[in-house]
Amino acid sequence: MAKSADYFISGVWKDNSERITDVLLHTVNDDDSFQYGVKTSETSAINLLKANKRIKTITWGYPDWYIGASVTYVTIGSNEFLRTVANATIKDNLDNSINMRPIK
């Protein structure tokens, strides 16, 4: 069975306007296990998507992690946003990811 993604996102850091600035990005192994996450800028995550890397969200649901939605990006005006579902919201919408703000 092929791995489901190249990277997983498990958490996000947001600024005061609630825009994602960074994500907790995990490299995915061939068996869908994954490595420790690394704080990665939103721009770097978007560049991975532009390089045809597959990114999905993961959420913690004791006792396991669950693979979530595919992550994409959209360009609105001169801004690029990470997205999980295309909709009319003009903002980042990885709302089910862990809020990492308290963790620097």
Side-chain angles (χ1 to χ4, degrees), residues 7 10 13 15-16 24-26 31-32 38 51-52 55 60 62 64 69-70 78 81 84 88 90 93 98-99 101:
Y7 299 93
S10 64
W13 283 265
D15 62 18
N16 291 335
L24 190 58
L25 192 72
H26 307 262
D31 62 355
D32 269 348
V38 175
N52 295 318
I55 303 175
W60 178 249
Y62 185 81
D64 294 312
S70 293
S78 61
F81 300 93
T84 52
I90 302 175
N93 69 345
I98 298 169
N99 179 0
R101 184 179 294 163

Side-chain angles (χ1 to χ4, degrees), residues 41-98:
S41 72
E42 179 188 40
T43 301
S44 293
I46 290 170
N47 286 337
L48 288 170
L49 292 166
K50 289 178 179 178
N52 295 318
K53 300 298 180 181
R54 296 169 299 142
I55 303 175
K56 289 192 173 192
T57 61
I58 52 172
T59 55
W60 178 249
Y62 185 81
D64 294 312
W65 287 94
Y66 295 97
I67 299 172
S70 293
V71 176
T72 62
Y73 73 96
V74 295
T75 303
I76 300 173
S78 61
N79 296 308
E80 294 177 317
F81 300 93
L82 288 173
R83 302 295 278 271
T84 52
V85 177
N87 60 25
T89 304
I90 302 175
K91 64 173 191 150
D92 303 300
N93 69 345
L94 278 76
D95 293 335
N96 291 328
S97 297
I98 298 169

